[in-house]
Amino acid sequence: MTAAPSLTQTEHWQHQGADHMLHPFGDSGAIGREGARIITRAEGVMLWDSEGNEYLDAFAGLWCVNLGYGRQELVDAASKQMSQLPYYNLFFKSATPPAVELAGALAEIAPKHINHTFFTNSGSEANDTVLRMVRRYWDLQGKPEKKTIIGRHNGYHGSTVAGASLGGMSPMHAQGDLPIPGIAHIRQPYWYGEGGDLSPDEFGLLAARALEEKILELGPETVGAFIAEPIQGAGGVIIPPKTYWPEIERIVKRYDLLLVVDEVICGFGRTGEWFGSDYYGLTPDLMPIAKGLSSGYLPIGGVMVADRVAEVFKISGGEFNHGFTYSGHPVCAAVALENVRILREEGIVDRVREETAPYLQAQLQTLADHPLVGEVRGVGMLGAVELVQDKASRRRYPEEGRVGTLCRDYALAEGLVLRATGDTMLMSPPLVIKPAEIDELVAKTRRALDQTLAQLQKEYPAGA
Ligand code: PXG
């Protein structure tokens, strides 16, 4: 009898995962059959899997590893705090040094009118907190009927019940009877996909005015807030035309809504400013944050609260019946504080704005001449490359999403991690990526585009 061949370490992990783990946003059955890629190590902008393959992580994990991998200072901050006080909470009149110091540091970097933070463990929890805060705020203002929050189709605000409801992802809504009541959605400012013959500026105004129409349809006395990402991330790095945000701000003021600007992706230097709100000159009332707050080294998020809202909570609010065991967890807060210190002291946000982002954007634009590419767009360290069958009409290949997945898989084989949303390739590299690494990112993307095109040309011969 021959002995069963022993499993390699990789196969062992793949089998364990297949047998015992369900994946977020994944088909666990299919992943289990194929075998997950097991990532074991990272440094700077590079990742390695358990087979020793190397990848340039053009996606910073999930839009979050702003400082890049392997920063020993963050490890030391966690270790020191773990030894001193691994856990205590912010309930029952308690606080911890890292939590209050982080709140102070955040007030220094946020827009001037924002000086308070309510801590959570993730962006989703931040947006659940937003829903509670908006409703509590209007209760305290004597307007409890101002309950409805308006979000946008194809916006992303997380995967908890409130987060997924505020977001406008129809595949998420379809699973679980969402959105919950009291949430409405308007169109997104996606000029390339939906602008037709309008100029970007005309379309920006049209998309913003959908907010006014929705408020009037619902009755202004019932609408409490509007929530949006400065630039949609998961939805496809959708950069609103320049007319969009000023018109939104006008409408929000006119109908006395709270403006919630979801900074989970755009915050902490991603746009070349500290916050997307700085990039667009916005005055948010609530600002959910997460991801780049700790560069993803530990889970932490929060809602930053404008003075006019914080005052209402502090002066007339009494007890706010909301919070999490790990709100402001001291180890996570210590790591976030160190992350913010490094971003500031190393001038990383300025460097993105002045050097790295202009270089990334210029290099990405060199892909625009590729036959598969309909549009290249980006801001700061965010980029998107739209793949189409016909550039002039912006027509996509049949089976939307397949070409994006094909290109993503070719990129992986080239040693590059990109994300595909439908047939749009997305990038969001660590802010510390160097020019030579940007060159590699763009060269590998081009090779993945070439291979995708070669495959498509076999399937769709010219003239067919
Ligand atoms: N708001 C925004 C704008 C986000 O992008 C969340 C809230 C929720 O954060 P948490 O920490 O609960 O995940 C996010 C998260 C993707 C992808 O594939 C995007 C996110 C999360 C996971 C995957 O693009 N964004």
Side-chain angles (χ1 to χ4, degrees), residues 3-319:
S6 64
L7 296 179
T8 65
Q9 178 68 73
T10 298
E11 287 165 341
H12 168 73
W13 281 323
Q14 288 173 331
H15 287 209
Q16 289 278 68
D19 290 348
H20 302 294
M21 201 175 77
L22 298 174
H23 286 259
F25 283 97
D27 175 343
S28 293
I31 297 169
R33 284 189 294 279
E34 215 178 300
R37 208 162 2 99
I38 310 286
I39 303 297
T40 52
R41 192 164 63 83
E43 182 65 36
V45 300
M46 304 304 292
L47 299 169
W48 286 269
D49 70 17
S50 54
E51 295 293 285
N53 297 309
E54 183 179 80
Y55 306 90
L56 195 165
D57 184 7
F59 207 58
L62 275 177
W63 322 81
C64 57
V65 189
N66 288 13
L67 273 189
Y69 300 95
R71 288 299 299 235
Q72 189 59 37
E73 302 94 317
L74 300 190
V75 179
D76 294 342
S79 163
K80 193 165 155 230
Q81 187 59 42
M82 279 263 185
S83 304
Q84 180 151 351
L85 180 71
Y87 174 73
Y88 205 72
N89 56 70
L90 308 181
F91 286 53
F92 314 133
K93 298 192 193 170
S94 299
T96 63
V100 293
E101 282 179 24
L102 177 60
L106 291 172
E108 284 174 21
I109 60 175
K112 272 199 192 56
H113 69 290
I114 300 186
N115 291 290
H116 292 76
T117 304
F118 184 101
F119 288 114
T120 68
N121 306 290
S122 67
S124 297
E125 284 181 9
N127 282 315
D128 275 56
T129 301
V130 159
L131 183 119
R132 303 284 305 276
M133 276 186 168
V134 166
R135 292 183 176 173
R136 180 73 183 142
Y137 173 82
W138 288 115
D139 280 349
L140 291 168
Q141 296 289 70
K143 296 183 178 170
E145 64 288 355
K146 268 177 102 66
K147 270 194 198 351
T148 297
I149 304 179
I150 299 176
R152 304 186 296 189
H153 296 298
N154 202 36
Y156 190 81
H157 301 294
S159 196
T160 48
V161 170
S165 294
L166 292 167
M169 296 291 175
S170 38
M172 294 174 80
H173 290 176
Q175 296 179 351
D177 235 348
L178 302 176
I180 54 172
I183 293 175
H185 297 89
I186 58 166
R187 72 182 305 168
Q188 55 178 337
Y190 179 22
W191 175 76
Y192 185 78
E194 301 178 8
D197 294 333
L198 295 180
S199 70
D201 284 358
E202 288 166 340
F203 178 70
L205 285 178
L206 182 82
R209 286 181 186 150
L211 177 59
E212 189 156 31
E213 286 158 26
K214 183 58 85 179
I215 294 169
L216 293 173
E217 175 196 321
L218 297 168
E221 68 289 353
T222 69
V223 182
F226 174 64
I227 182 168
E229 304 151 81
I231 292 167
Q232 284 153 265
V237 180
I238 292 166
I239 302 166
K242 68 178 188 308
T243 49
Y244 182 75
W245 273 115
E247 183 68 359
I248 289 283
E249 286 219 297
R250 179 191 71 76
I251 295 166
V252 161
K253 278 203 185 71
R254 168 146 191 219
Y255 296 98
D256 197 16
L257 268 53
L258 294 178
L259 176 62
V260 186
V261 180
D262 185 335
E263 297 276 3
V264 169
I265 285 179
C266 290
F268 303 93
R270 181 63 49 204
T271 64
E273 302 289 342
W274 274 101
F275 294 95
S277 294
D278 299 318
Y279 183 81
Y280 286 111
L282 306 177
T283 312
D285 295 299
L286 299 174
M287 240 172 46
I289 54 174
K291 293 192 191 276
L293 167 57
S294 65
S295 284
Y297 278 53
L298 281 176
I300 182 166
V303 181
M304 297 202 69
V305 180
D307 295 342
R308 74 172 182 128
V309 176
E311 290 307 307
V312 171
F313 275 78
K314 286 167 89 167
I315 293 169
S316 53
E319 192 158 330

Side-chain angles (χ1 to χ4, degrees), residues 430-444:
L431 306 186
V432 297
I433 190 169
K434 298 188 183 78
E437 292 164 334
I438 291 176
D439 293 343
E440 187 183 334
L441 186 166
V442 174
K444 286 182 165 171

